[in-house]
Every structure is written in structure tokens, then in C-alpha cells.
Amino acid sequence: MLNRRGVMLAAGGVVATGAALAWPVGLAGRTGTAAAPLGPSEAQKHIMRIGMVAKASPVQAAEPFSVQMPVPNVARPVSTRGGTDVYELALQAAQAEILPGAKTPVLTYGGTFIGPTIKARAGRKVQVKYVNRLDAPVNVHLHGGHVPPASDGYPMDLFGAGETRTFDYPNQQDGATLWYHDHTHHMEAEHVYRGMHGFYLIEGEDERQLGLPSGQYDVPIMIRDAHFDAAGGLILDVEHPEARSTLLANGRPLPYFPVAARKYRFRLLNSSIHKIFELDLGGVEMVQIASDGGLLPEPVTRTKLTLAPAERIEVVVDFSRQETGAKLVLADATGPVMRFDVTRRAADYSRVPARLRPLPALPAPTRTRRLKFAVAPSKMAYAINDLSWDPDRIDTVIRNGTTEVWEIYNADTVDSEFGGIDHTFHLHLVQFRVLDRDGKPPLPGESGFKDTVLVRPGETLRVQATFKGWPGKYVYHCHMQEHNVAGMMAQLQIVE
């Protein structure tokens, strides 16, 4: 299942220079030299060369299950006065121990390779003061957050080196597993790959009343892939995404995690910039309770999970059925990701109720829009409706409070010029509901609210969203960030 497609294109108006095809040296620096600009014919060959990623066994940079998976630190507010929790986070370069015994140059929030987890409560405001201690302008996007445009991390709205910017997060939304990450256009894939990511968890009052596993038994797990050099440095080779063959869980390679023989709630996030995970736990049941936008209407029992870049899935795993000493491997289609080691018995008063969060009735839509995601051969760029990203162009104007149906078609089919390419669809500002895939019901676990969804080659998805919020500009794009930085992004404007 590794035949995922990744293309970086030399396109006029999409990347600053032809050298950006290999990506400009980022804030952390990188060894090697930039590629020469590609002309149209060379770029077509480039697409064909890197579009077909062969299935291969991972070459791991560390001994499997030799390090323990950490749980990301929880941020502490600097103030809780006036009904608002205030946090301060520095955007800074750091040295992190990812591989055992090696120091890796990374870009971080707060100095850790996975930024500190911000725990918010539904209905209570959060402010985050981000201090840019890097040497270039950046921004921050709260992925899945219902926030005003000035705090959304618009790709061109940057704050410079040495500057501080305060982002307001109202948290007027249901409890859900969100995450924050860089969204600096042209550089977001590089920045996220090098560590600019962290969890943002909103807890709803309804969750507290359900009796789900909580406290130390509620564990966020960020999974991703990476490629290291001999010294432990991160390599970003956009022509060979399959080379990112070391799999990380919470920033450590193929770790183990001690668990008690009881129920756990795991919040799984795929923070990869390209890789789709196909996960299983050796046939052990995983009860899905939530997706991107929070709790599902009812739990769904799964033995396999597909997790595309930026998607979140929450599952409850009951280890009480395992003997002490049991070892359960969470594996991708290409090999292990991490291992759960049952080390002790523990009391368990948690439960998974048969009903979780009722879905509201779908309002009547006022219109249907059609989006085509595809490589645009004439421009040699990724595009939506044959147009690549242009910050001076408004692609979609929507009146505040309007409900719409969007049809997303992945035109990069196996019969297209560059072969089948997977895409994802991510919408800022609001969550949406998946109505159907090629006229068939949504996949298991897609019945709740989502903000990111996988669209396979040739597939058409219909989603419905109500665009209620603030006037201003937002974006929608493919969240395979190598596609996004190469032009597969558009912008909408909310008007009164």
C-alpha cells in the first residue's frame, strides 16, 4: 500500500524558483545542493519518476522497540484570569534526541520535537502568544479549529523573526482532537517535517459525562515517517518519499509503550507530509469513538484503520483481554509502528457507551460546488479546478451562515497522464459531513464531523458544510503538503 504519489513541480507562479523543486534550504539547514530548474519536458519526467512509489520494506534507523514512547508534555497556561487561558510558546530551533544517542536539528514549538499539548475546554477561550525565535517569518494554523481569520494561520499572513503574535481560539465547538502546525506557504511541508507540530485537545462537557478512559489512560499518539542521515539529521528528499522509511510515534522510532490490562483511549494523528498509514493491531479490536471533528454518533469496531495525512482517529483498546506480558504491535502495511506491552493489572471503571454524540440534522444546502483535484499538465503544477494557488485570487465567495454541498473529484486517475495520485481535502474554518463516496455510504468511522478526508484516484466525494463564522479569507487544499506547497490550494472568502 505504499504506491502513494508525491510530486514537486517547477511551475511559474507556484514556487519562487526552479531550485525550489528540491526545496530551498529551510531554517534548520540541510546538506546537499539545490536542483537546477526543470523545464517542461524535464518536469514531466520528474513527475513520472517520483509519482510511482514502489512498495518496499522500511529501512529503519533504529532497533525496533528499544525506546519507550513518551507522552507529549502538557503546556501550562501563564494566566487563567478573565475566563481565558493564556499560553506562551516559542518557535525555535533545537536539538532533539529522536534516534537513540543522536542529536537531530529540528524546528519546534517550545523546544520539543512534538510541541507541548494544549488542553482546552469547549466554551472557554484560549490565547496563545507565539514568539518567533527563528530567523525567518512563519505562522501557525490550528488545524480543525473554528477561529477568526486573523488567528487561522493564513499562508501569507506571517510574523517575522523576533516578533510575537497572539492568536485567539474561542473553542466554540465540540470537544475534539485538533493539532497546531506551521502553514507558511512554500515552507509548511518542510517546517512540519522538521518538527513544527503539536496536539491541541478540546474537551467537551459531554465527554466528561460518558465515562470514557481519561487521565493517564487517554494518550495522544502522533505517527509519521522520516529519513535520517548517518549523523541522525533529517533528510527531506522530495523525489523519493519512500526513503522516509523510519516510522515515528510521538517522536521516537518504533517505540514500545507500557500499558495496564484495562481500557485506553488513543488519539491517533498522522502528521506525515505525504504518507498514508494502513494500521492494524494484529487483529485486536479497536473501537473507534471519534474522528477529526470529535465523537461519532456511536462507536464503530475496527480491526484496520486508514489514516491519511492530518486525519485523526480516536480508538479505545481494551487490554484486559490480554495476559500480563503480552506484546501487541501496531503495524502499518509496510511494517511495525510501535508496540504496546501489557505490564500490569489495573482497576478500570471506564466504559464505551453505545451512544456518543448525536448528530444534528443536515440543513438544506443552498448550492453545490464541484472541485477537481489534479496535476495541471499545461502549467506543470498541482491545481484545484485547473488553477494553482494565487493569493490575489478569490476562488469561492460564501455568505456567512450558508450551507453548501461540495463535490470533490480526484481526476488523477490511473488512466491520466501521470497515473493515479492520492489526494486529501482539508477545509479551514468549519467541519463538514461526508455524504457519500462515488454514491455509496461513507466508510466506517466517517459518520461524524471531519475536516480532512482522503480522496482516492478517480473517486468523487460529496461533503456538506455550514459556513458559519467570521467574515474574511480562509483556504482549502490538499493536505499532502508536498502537493499543497506546489499549488493545490485555493481560497474562500466569507461575506456578510
Side-chain angles (χ1 to χ4, degrees):
M1 302 299 291
L2 272 185
N3 55 341
R4 310 299 177 216
R5 275 58 170 175
V7 186
M8 286 300 299
L9 306 170
V14 178
V15 293
T17 66
L21 186 65
W23 289 2
V25 173
L27 297 173
R30 203 164 58 245
T31 58
T33 57
L38 297 187
S41 61
E42 289 83 2
Q44 287 194 5
K45 295 175 184 177
H46 176 79
I47 291 172
M48 295 303 294
R49 183 168 65 253
I50 69 174
M52 300 301 293
V53 179
K55 179 182 288 188
S57 298
V59 178
Q60 302 295 347
E63 184 70 21
F65 317 129
S66 61
V67 296
Q68 182 170 328
M69 184 190 76
V71 177
N73 295 329
V74 176
R76 298 181 63 179
V78 297
S79 171
T80 57
R81 295 189 298 270
T84 301
D85 296 331
V86 180
Y87 296 85
E88 291 186 1
L89 274 181
L91 288 69
Q92 62 190 80
Q95 299 280 329
E97 183 174 329
I98 301 174
L99 304 180
K103 291 295 184 181
T104 300
V106 293
L107 304 176
T108 74
Y109 297 103
T112 54
F113 181 63
I114 294 180
T117 298
I118 296 175
K119 289 191 173 182
R121 284 185 287 165
R124 183 176 174 85
K125 297 178 182 178
V126 162
Q127 284 186 338
V128 183
K129 297 179 180 178
Y130 293 104
V131 183
N132 184 0
R133 294 179 182 162
L134 301 169
D135 59 6
V138 291
N139 72 8
V140 185
H141 170 53
L142 179 58
H143 186 115
H146 183 62
V147 301
S151 296
D152 185 58
Y154 178 76
M156 318 304 290
D157 184 16
L158 311 180
F159 57 105
E163 294 182 356
T164 296
R165 181 174 293 184
T166 299
F167 285 61
D168 294 300
Y169 302 141
N171 299 318
Q172 297 295 327
Q173 60 189 98
D174 290 330
T177 297
L178 311 184
W179 64 305
Y180 59 98
H181 63 78
D182 181 83
H183 213 307
T184 307
H185 188 48
H186 294 321
M187 293 306 300
E188 73 165 282
E190 166 122 15
H191 290 175
V192 172
Y193 182 78
R194 297 192 181 279
M196 295 178 70
H197 44 41
F199 282 100
Y200 186 102
L201 309 181
I202 302 177
E203 183 183 27
E205 180 60 35
D206 57 342
E207 294 179 78
R208 289 193 288 271
Q209 298 174 355
L210 290 175
L212 296 166
S214 60
Q216 64 178 308
Y217 306 111
D218 180 353
V219 182
I221 302 177
M222 181 184 296
I223 60 175
R224 52 163 293 180
D225 54 352
H227 182 195
F228 295 91
D229 62 26
L234 282 166
I235 299 172
L236 184 51
D237 182 350
V238 300
E239 292 198 20
H240 301 97
E242 75 279 11
R244 302 168 203 157
S245 56
T246 296
L247 304 183
L248 307 177
N250 283 350
R252 301 309 301 271
L254 301 184
Y256 67 90
F257 185 65
V259 296
R262 54 152 293 154
K263 290 187 287 296
Y264 279 74
R265 177 181 184 174
F266 295 119
R267 303 171 184 256
L268 301 174
L269 158 65
N270 180 357
S271 68
S272 299
I273 62 173
H274 181 267
K275 179 178 173 59
I276 300 170
F277 281 90
E278 308 278 359
L279 300 171
D280 70 77
L281 194 56
V284 173
E285 289 183 351
M286 298 174 282
V287 180
Q288 184 178 349
I289 59 170
S291 59
D292 305 330
L295 294 175
L296 301 176
E298 57 191 26
V300 180
T301 299
R302 314 281 300 275
T303 56
K304 295 184 181 298
L305 305 171
T306 298
L307 199 61
E311 282 191 306
R312 288 88 69 207
I313 290 178
E314 297 184 34
V315 296
V316 172
V317 178
D318 189 353
F319 295 103
S320 67
R321 304 169 187 175
Q322 308 297 322
E323 297 291 334
T324 301
K327 302 179 188 301
L328 284 71
V329 175
L330 181 68
D332 175 55
T334 60
V337 177
M338 62 173 297
R339 190 179 72 191
F340 298 104
D341 294 357
V342 182
T343 59
R344 67 191 190 281
R345 314 300 297 182
D348 186 5
Y349 303 103
S350 67
R351 65 191 186 101
V352 180
R355 297 289 182 268
L356 296 170
R357 180 178 288 158
L359 284 172
L362 285 169
T366 58
R367 68 172 297 170
T368 296
R369 299 181 191 269
R370 292 173 175 83
L371 308 179
K372 182 179 76 171
F373 280 48
V375 174
S378 61
K379 291 187 176 182
M380 294 308 302
Y382 280 112
I384 298 176
N385 286 346
D386 298 320
L387 296 173
S388 291
W389 165 253
D390 182 347
D392 297 323
R393 184 187 68 239
I394 300 297
D395 300 278
T396 305
V397 178
I398 301 176
R399 189 164 300 280
N400 198 2
T402 299
T403 298
E404 297 190 353
V405 171
W406 287 18
E407 294 182 0
I408 302 108
Y409 170 55
N410 181 350
D412 286 325
T413 67
V414 294
D415 297 323
S416 62
E417 182 174 359
F418 303 114
I421 301 176
D422 289 306
H423 295 300
T424 58
F425 170 71
H426 171 51
L427 178 63
H428 286 220
L429 176 64
V430 295
Q431 301 280 335
F432 54 78
R433 300 260 296 274
V434 178
L435 300 179
D436 52 58
R437 287 178 174 269
D438 288 334
K440 299 176 183 178
L443 299 175
E446 288 186 336
S447 58
F449 284 100
K450 289 184 62 61
D451 54 56
T452 309
V453 68
L454 177 62
V455 192
R456 298 290 194 181
E459 194 170 38
T460 298
L461 267 71
R462 292 194 315 135
V463 304
Q464 179 166 322
T466 299
F467 295 85
K468 185 176 182 181
W470 300 264
K473 292 189 295 185
Y474 296 87
V475 297
Y476 51 95
H477 56 86
C478 179
H479 214 287
M480 289 181 168
Q481 288 167 314
E482 291 168 311
H483 301 181
N484 173 16
V485 300
M488 192 168 273
M489 181 164 64
Q491 64 181 325
L492 62 89
Q493 184 158 11
I494 306 296
V495 298
E496 293 293 357

